[in-house]
């Protein structure tokens, strides 16, 4: 592995790392010198269990390249499973430095047809799956900080354009990903005292979840640069997991191909202040003026 070792000696958990973007992250961290806990339950696109062992396969790839890795098959949205995942990193490699939350699946459907189970399943794995791993990781880091041991921790969460701008047919997924962005901001503010940064990415890449969305981009690019390759997302994640990123926290990055951008997020707009309670009948022109002065929102995907 000849990539610059900017994560040498770091211990990293990557969830959902058996395929796609997660696999790319695991391999990139290993190439950068990290020891990696490769988490994946081997599920299908919609979260159903299978007998596959993709985490073990990625571990074998890393070891074949001279890296260090162990496989983990816990469900990140299971409270004790998330606890075991964090504990395995510490038991296997002596510590934990970086948590990359990537695991997830989709059950796409227009909201009018969306079932309660389809809502619950997607929100569970994405939003609760992020919360549970973060909760056990910060418990470990807080104990380390209280014991006087230095902490230089990193959490990198995975949001989505579907959460930042909305996506037709993905209300469950979009709501969970929007929640992850909000969770990232809150955690960044709370965890700073322990020496832990928290950021998120909103990636665009070709995976099992996006192959239908990017169907027109699946052909080999004439330029030789595959802008939809999941490996394009990982360099920023590796940098965010390194010691070099200590000053960056509470940010959401959009990543696609060779492009990296900061998502601007919700901001306070210029108010119309009456200095007293509004009469409902007065608000029509007031709201129209506020909208006219504001920057138009980004269009919803698929609208």
């Amino acid at each position: 592995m000849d990539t610059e070792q900017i994560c040498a000696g770091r211990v990293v958990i990557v969830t959902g790392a058996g395929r796609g973007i997660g696999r790319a992250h695991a391999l990139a961290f290993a190439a950068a010198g990290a020891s990696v806990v490769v988490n994946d339950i081997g599920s299908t696109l919609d979260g159903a269990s299978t007998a596959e062992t993709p985490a073990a396969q990625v571990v074998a790839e890393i070891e074949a390249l001279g890296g260090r890795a162990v496989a983990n098959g816990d469900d990140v949205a299971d409270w004790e499973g998330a606890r075991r995942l964090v504990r395995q990193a510490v038991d296997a490699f002596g510590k934990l430095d970086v948590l990359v939350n990537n695991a997830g699946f989709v059950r796409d459907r227009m909201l009018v047809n969306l079932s309660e189970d389809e809502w619950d399943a997607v929100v569970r794995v994405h939003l609760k799956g992020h919360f549970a791993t973060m909760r056990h990781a910060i418990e470990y880091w807080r104990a380390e900080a209280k014991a006087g041991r230095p902490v230089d921790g990193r959490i990198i969460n995975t949001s989505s354009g579907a959460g930042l701008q909305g996506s037709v047919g993905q209300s469950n997924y979009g709501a969970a990903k929007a929640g992850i962005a909000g969770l990232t901001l809150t955690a960044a503010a709370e965890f700073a005292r322990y020496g832990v940064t928290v950021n998120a990415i909103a990636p665009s890449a070709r995976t099992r979840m996006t192959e239908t969305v990017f169907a027109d981009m699946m052909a080999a690019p004439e330029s030789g640069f595959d802008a939809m390759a999941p490996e394009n997302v990982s360099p920023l994640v590796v940098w965010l997991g390194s010691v070099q990123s200590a000053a960056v926290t509470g940010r959401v990055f959009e990543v696609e191909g060779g492009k990296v951008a900061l998502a601007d997020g919700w901001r306070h707009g210029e108010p119309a202040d009456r200095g007293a309670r509004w009469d409902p009948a007065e608000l029509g022109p007031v709201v129209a003026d506020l909208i006219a002065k504001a920057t138009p929102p980004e269009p919803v995907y698929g609208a």
Side-chain angles (χ1 to χ4, degrees):
M1 293 187 171
D2 55 5
T3 300
E4 185 181 352
Q5 305 270 290
I6 68 168
C7 287
R10 308 269 286 165
V11 175
V12 181
I13 291 171
V14 183
T15 72
R19 303 179 179 90
I21 293 176
R23 172 182 171 274
H25 292 344
L27 290 168
F29 270 110
S35 299
V36 185
V37 179
V38 180
N39 162 267
D40 202 290
I41 63 172
S43 66
T44 62
L45 177 59
D46 66 357
S49 298
T50 71
E52 297 178 16
T53 57
Q57 295 167 16
V58 175
V59 168
E61 288 185 77
I62 290 172
E63 291 178 339
L65 294 170
R68 301 174 70 207
V70 294
N72 174 278
D74 282 306
D75 176 357
V76 295
D78 176 81
W79 192 251
E80 290 304 317
R83 188 194 303 276
R84 287 192 298 270
L85 172 59
V86 171
R87 178 46 52 188
Q88 183 176 356
V90 178
D91 289 347
F93 300 118
K95 60 174 182 170
L96 173 65
D97 299 296
V98 184
L99 168 63
V100 180
N101 280 314
N102 170 77
F105 59 79
V106 292
R107 293 185 183 176
D108 293 350
R109 201 175 299 278
M110 300 297 277
L111 196 149
V112 70
N113 296 317
L114 191 66
S115 72
E116 182 181 12
D117 287 345
E118 289 165 336
W119 175 274
D120 288 347
V122 170
V123 171
R124 176 186 179 275
V125 72
H126 287 279
L127 190 51
K128 185 183 177 184
H130 274 61
F131 161 65
T133 56
M134 290 171 66
R135 171 63 174 75
H136 293 303
I138 195 59
E139 185 176 39
Y140 163 75
W141 282 317
R142 181 178 64 176
E144 291 293 290
K146 287 186 174 182
R149 291 184 283 271
V151 174
D152 196 15
R154 304 284 184 271
I155 297 174
I156 301 100
N157 293 328
T158 305
S159 184
S160 168
L164 303 180
Q165 287 97 36
S167 180
V168 171
Q170 291 191 309
S171 57
N172 48 1
Y173 177 77
K177 290 302 192 182
I180 288 166
L183 178 63
T184 297
L185 302 182
T186 301
E190 292 184 1
F191 294 1
R193 72 190 72 179
Y194 304 118
V196 178
T197 69
V198 189
N199 294 286
I201 61 166
S204 293
R206 183 178 54 254
T207 69
R208 291 190 302 168
M209 288 196 296
T210 60
E211 61 186 359
T212 56
V213 177
F214 298 129
D216 59 340
M217 304 181 186
M218 298 293 277
E222 294 181 3
S223 66
F225 175 56
D226 184 357
M228 288 294 104
E231 290 77 12
N232 299 330
V233 178
S234 300
L236 175 64
V237 175
V238 171
W239 183 83
L240 286 171
S242 75
V243 296
Q244 297 179 12
S245 67
V248 180
T249 194
R251 298 288 191 166
V252 179
F253 294 86
E254 294 181 290
V255 192
E256 177 185 344
K259 297 183 290 186
V260 176
L262 271 176
D264 208 13
W266 293 99
R267 293 184 172 275
H268 297 297
E270 187 67 31
D273 187 356
R274 188 175 185 271
R277 184 181 300 119
W278 288 95
D279 184 311
E282 298 176 305
L283 284 167
V286 173
V287 171
D289 185 59
L290 290 174
I291 291 173
K293 292 176 179 177
T295 302
E298 295 293 334
V300 173
Y301 289 103

